[in-house]
Amino acid sequence: TPPPPLADRAPRGSRYDDLIAVFGATFVLERLANLSYFLVGAGALGCEFIKNFALCGVCCGPHGSLVVADADRIELSNLTRQFLFREHNVGQAKCVAAAAMAVDPPRATLANAINPALKVRTAEAYVGPKTEATLFTDDFWESLDGVCNALDNMEARFYVDAQCVKFEKPLLESGTMGTSGNVDPIVPHLTRTYREGGNAADAGGVPMCTLRNFPHLIEHCVEWARDKFAELFVKPAKRVAKFAADPDAVVAELAAKLRAAADPASVEAARHDIETLLRAVTVALVPDLAARRAACAQLAFDAFHRLFRDQILDLVAAYPADARVKDKEGRDKGPFWSGSKKFPTPAAYDPA
């Protein structure tokens, strides 16, 4: 495609002049500004998309429309990575709070609007079959120019992907895994769909914040189990093999890691590595097969109680069923066990 004419790229005294210089005023002020888009999810990725849409003038024209849907409410832990939220937003709907920060921030935030011209509407609801007859009808999907996903679960991703195929709408799929991220543009009749194996599907995975803290969907739990399997069976075996090949190098590596630990978390991580190696080597050195099996069974018994009893008992002791979230001024922000965080029950070992 040839670049826009120079006259179309001339400055207009607009906040979008930088974009106009590259893409032209016709594209920026007429096409991008008047798009009708659907953003599914207002968490960490959703906040970034809302910010980028507002800064670039997407859905900011007289006929623009951005619908943001998210059924979740803001929790205190969200504030570390979902930058549009503040402490006073805890307990509020994510989509509502994020939209307000973009166009009309509450006075308490002491922040300026990102772009008051953003034409944004919100829907505090799940996007799925249950809302097809009420909120996200066929007419709604037909009215869209495109869809942007900012989700953290596969079920919703597959549903939105299927709807985009059905209504022939382009889909901007995205996801994160640890420190990695991906964006996958899916265009009807030109690219693979998400279910068929787009780039985002290839990346897969579960957000590490969900995996470490409160996994609640089946795929979260499967990923957590895979992580624990590697921790219990794969990494110790590799460490023992490395130790058998060069014990001095392994000891020197662990000692250096312990010396370099500059904070309690690093010290704990180094101590954990040392204890893991010690347990694995102790079992590997047991000469009798029956005794080695018994030692492995004891390790499994200890791991069961550590993961499914002791950690849960510690958690419910710190946060009982009626625990409340409070800010640094002591103001109540709602129950700790809410949303996807369900109050856990310790498991009891049954030898039968």
Side-chain angles (χ1 to χ4, degrees), residues 139-152:
D139 288 341
F140 170 79
W141 288 97
E142 290 283 6
S143 70
L144 299 173
D145 292 312
V147 181
C148 181
N149 265 353
L151 293 160
D152 65 351

Side-chain angles (χ1 to χ4, degrees), residues 231-232 236 240 271-286 295-296 298-300 302-303 306:
E231 179 184 315
L232 292 170
V240 169
R271 184 188 66 81
H272 175 74
D273 287 349
I274 294 170
E275 290 183 349
T276 300
L277 175 62
L278 182 60
R279 283 196 300 267
V281 171
T282 300
V283 172
L285 292 177
V286 174
C296 289
Q298 184 62 50
L299 286 178
D302 294 342
R306 182 176 69 256

Side-chain angles (χ1 to χ4, degrees), residues 254-276:
L254 291 173
K257 186 175 181 179
L258 189 59
R259 286 195 300 269
D263 55 81
S266 300
V267 172
E268 178 61 25
R271 184 188 66 81
H272 175 74
D273 287 349
I274 294 170
E275 290 183 349
T276 300

Side-chain angles (χ1 to χ4, degrees), residues 192-205:
R192 293 182 299 176
T193 68
Y194 179 76
R195 185 178 285 275
E196 289 172 340
N199 295 333
D202 293 338

Side-chain angles (χ1 to χ4, degrees), residues 154-155 157-159 161-162 186 192-198 201:
M154 300 300 292
E155 182 181 0
R157 279 178 167 143
F158 284 145
Y159 174 80
D161 178 62
I186 299 170
R192 293 182 299 176
T193 68
Y194 179 76
R195 185 178 285 275
E196 289 172 340

Side-chain angles (χ1 to χ4, degrees), residues 48-345:
E48 293 289 343
F49 279 121
I50 291 172
K51 178 257 293 179
N52 290 338
F53 280 21
L55 289 176
C56 295
V58 180
C59 305
C60 295
H63 305 294
S65 172
L66 174 64
V67 177
V68 183
D70 196 315
D72 288 346
R73 290 187 167 259
I74 300 165
E75 300 175 5
L76 200 59
S77 62
N78 298 150
L79 305 185
T80 60
R81 61 192 182 279
Q82 298 174 17
F83 76 100
L84 290 181
F85 306 141
R86 304 294 187 269
E87 282 192 21
H88 70 271
N89 295 127
V90 172
Q92 297 176 5
K94 287 186 176 181
C95 57
V96 175
M101 283 295 291
V103 299
D104 186 19
R107 186 175 300 177
T109 64
L110 302 179
N112 295 323
I114 300 175
N115 191 341
L118 180 67
K119 305 300 189 297
V120 59
R121 295 183 290 120
T122 60
E124 189 183 353
Y126 292 104
V127 180
K130 292 183 179 179
T131 52
E132 286 180 357
T134 53
L135 291 173
F136 311 117
T137 62
D138 288 359
D139 288 341
F140 170 79
W141 288 97
E142 290 283 6
S143 70
L144 299 173
D145 292 312
V147 181
C148 181
N149 265 353
L151 293 160
D152 65 351
N153 70 87
M154 300 300 292
E155 182 181 0
R157 279 178 167 143
F158 284 145
Y159 174 80
V160 173
D161 178 62
Q163 292 296 94
C164 288
V165 171
K166 178 181 177 181
F167 294 98
E168 298 184 311
K169 302 298 179 181
L171 170 65
L172 185 64
E173 173 59 55
S174 58
T176 61
M177 179 62 175
T179 57
S180 301
N182 61 271
V183 176
D184 190 11
I186 299 170
V187 182
H189 311 300
L190 291 179
T191 65
R192 293 182 299 176
T193 68
Y194 179 76
R195 185 178 285 275
E196 289 172 340
N199 295 333
D202 293 338
V206 177
M208 292 306 296
C209 53
T210 301
L211 184 64
R212 289 174 180 153
N213 296 321
F214 297 99
H216 58 280
L217 298 177
I218 290 176
E219 55 263 34
H220 296 167
C221 299
V222 169
E223 194 67 30
W224 179 87
R226 289 176 58 187
D227 181 67
K228 290 303 174 185
F229 183 90
E231 179 184 315
L232 292 170
F233 299 104
V234 179
K235 294 177 182 178
K238 290 182 178 179
R239 179 71 74 172
V240 169
K242 187 176 180 180
F243 179 80
D246 192 348
D248 291 338
V250 173
V251 171
E253 176 189 337
L254 291 173
K257 186 175 181 179
L258 189 59
R259 286 195 300 269
D263 55 81
S266 300
V267 172
E268 178 61 25
R271 184 188 66 81
H272 175 74
D273 287 349
I274 294 170
E275 290 183 349
T276 300
L277 175 62
L278 182 60
R279 283 196 300 267
V281 171
T282 300
V283 172
L285 292 177
V286 174
D288 180 66
L289 180 59
R292 196 181 311 140
R293 287 175 175 170
C296 289
Q298 184 62 50
L299 286 178
F301 186 81
D302 294 342
F304 172 86
H305 286 91
R306 182 176 69 256
L307 295 173
F308 302 112
R309 185 194 65 182
D310 299 345
Q311 290 184 3
I312 295 175
L313 288 173
D314 290 342
L315 181 62
V316 299
Y319 299 99
D322 58 353
R324 311 286 296 181
V325 176
K326 295 185 178 180
D327 61 18
K328 55 188 178 183
E329 280 81 27
R331 292 172 296 196
D332 192 295
K333 295 296 183 179
F336 178 83
W337 299 105
S338 61
S340 60
K341 292 189 295 190
K342 307 299 183 184
F343 186 73
T345 301

